[in-house]
Amino acid sequence: MTDPDLPTPVLDNHLHLDPRHGRGMDAVRDFRTLGGTHLLVVNKPSWHLGVEADEPADFRTVFEETIDVVAAADELLDGGAWPVLGVHPGLISRLVDERDFSPDEARELMQGGLSVAAEYVADGDALALKSGRPHYEVTDAAWDASNAVTKHAFTLGAEHDCAVQLHTEASEDLSELADWAAERGLDPERVVKHYAAGRLRGPTPSVMSERDRLERAAERGDPFLMETDFVDDPDKPGAVLGPKTVPRRVRWLLEEGYDDAVRIAHVETPKRVYGIDTETTLER
């Protein structure tokens, strides 16, 4: 059962689950035992699940596997779990550098994959979309194609009234991307920068749950979320943060007197960005 000593919902905004190769439900149980109540589970990069897409429909295998694992996680949690579906921006390098796609061909495939993901949002089987651009150096053509993919994600988010999580380069100013979202009818507040630091202009930051980053976010008083980016990969046991981290950091924030920040990250911002009422869902 969830730790009764945490007087708040606890949401990890971005992690991955891999029941075939990783810890799967054991990771969810660890999260729950330490006080975790709600999860947003992002599909793993398609090639990590053995899918080398040639057509947009090829992504369905990845999306449906994610939906299935989220349904299992939802059964274990006092609050709930929701899928976030999309195309990892690193796919463009795999397509262009390893599979001889042109940047335009890669863009078309990735945009098509996002359109397929949006079908699951429209049907109520997924909560949000995931897109973005590489966090490493690429050619100008690949960069332009990646930005076009991201803009397509914003268009879909506006059409389907859903948030868009972004994987991007490290930055404390992504106001340009927020402007692109607004131009397409998507409220920039519903654009979420995954793996964010404690300060960010433009989108809503999903702050990696390291103490220094969280302190900066807490002291600002602006909307933010917390995440681990747990990758659930047995070959990378020390990668990013483990599933126990968010509830542990919530406890630490409360001990440090950041009660308002905890409420912002785990009650107010999830409602504003995703429409999730983390308090009411604890009563289900």
Side-chain angles (χ1 to χ4, degrees):
M1 294 298 293
T2 298
D3 186 338
D5 293 335
L6 284 178
T8 177
V10 175
L11 168 73
D12 188 333
N13 180 66
H14 186 111
L15 88 167
H16 308 276
L17 294 173
D18 188 341
R20 282 197 281 160
H21 308 107
R23 299 192 61 228
M25 293 306 103
D26 285 342
V28 177
R29 292 185 185 95
D30 281 351
F31 173 73
R32 179 189 66 185
T33 299
L34 270 289
T37 59
H38 298 76
L39 290 174
L40 294 190
V41 182
V42 183
N43 63 263
K44 298 191 80 170
S46 49
W47 62 97
H48 287 188
L49 295 177
V51 174
E52 299 288 358
D54 292 301
E55 302 290 339
D58 295 341
F59 291 100
R60 289 192 185 278
T61 300
V62 176
F63 300 154
E64 290 174 5
E65 182 167 338
T66 304
I67 290 168
D68 288 345
V69 73
V70 172
D74 187 74
E75 291 292 322
L76 293 177
L77 294 173
D78 291 345
W82 292 267
V84 176
L85 304 181
V87 179
H88 193 284
L91 180 60
I92 195 161
S93 297
R94 192 169 183 87
L95 293 173
V96 172
D97 298 342
E98 300 180 26
R99 298 186 57 201
D100 296 326
F101 278 62
S102 71
D104 282 343
E105 290 169 337
R107 172 193 52 75
E108 185 174 355
L109 176 60
M110 294 170 72
Q111 288 178 329
L114 281 166
S115 294
V116 172
E119 294 176 17
Y120 291 94
V121 173
D123 292 340
D125 294 323
L127 180 69
L129 297 172
K130 184 263 181 75
S131 185
R133 60 193 186 191
H135 63 274
Y136 49 86
E137 290 292 327
V138 294
T139 65
D140 288 346
W143 185 252
D144 291 344
S146 297
N147 283 331
V149 171
T150 303
K151 292 173 182 177
H152 182 63
F154 294 154
T155 297
L156 293 170
E159 288 178 359
H160 297 283
D161 191 26
C162 72
V164 177
Q165 287 198 18
L166 292 181
H167 174 115
T168 74
E169 72 279 10
S171 176
E172 292 189 354
D173 186 355
L174 293 174
S175 52
E176 180 183 47
L177 276 70
D179 290 344
W180 292 350
E183 289 166 3
R184 287 157 180 79
L186 179 63
D187 185 342
E189 185 174 59
R190 305 193 77 191
V191 177
V192 178
K193 160 61 175 160
H194 143 66
Y195 214 107
R199 292 183 291 266
L200 182 66
R201 291 183 58 193
T204 297
S206 181
V207 179
M208 279 294 287
S209 295
E210 298 164 346
R211 294 187 183 192
D212 57 341
R213 296 186 187 217
L214 291 174
E215 276 190 316
R216 288 196 295 271
E219 291 177 2
R220 286 175 63 81
D222 294 333
F224 76 102
L225 297 154
M226 291 172 59
E227 69 167 78
T228 57
D229 192 26
F230 175 63
V231 297
D232 204 8
D233 185 341
D235 295 330
K236 301 176 182 177
V240 289
L241 301 175
K244 298 179 181 179
T245 307
V246 167
R248 282 175 169 163
R249 294 292 186 261
V250 167
R251 182 183 300 280
W252 171 75
L253 285 167
L254 293 171
E255 290 170 351
E256 295 295 313
Y258 291 117
D259 300 55
D260 290 346
V262 169
R263 182 165 184 82
I264 287 170
H266 298 279
V267 178
E268 296 176 5
T269 307
K271 185 178 290 187
R272 292 164 66 129
V273 173
Y274 300 110
I276 296 173
D277 188 329
T278 57
E279 293 177 314
T280 299
T281 49
L282 282 176
E283 302 170 1
R284 63 181 185 154

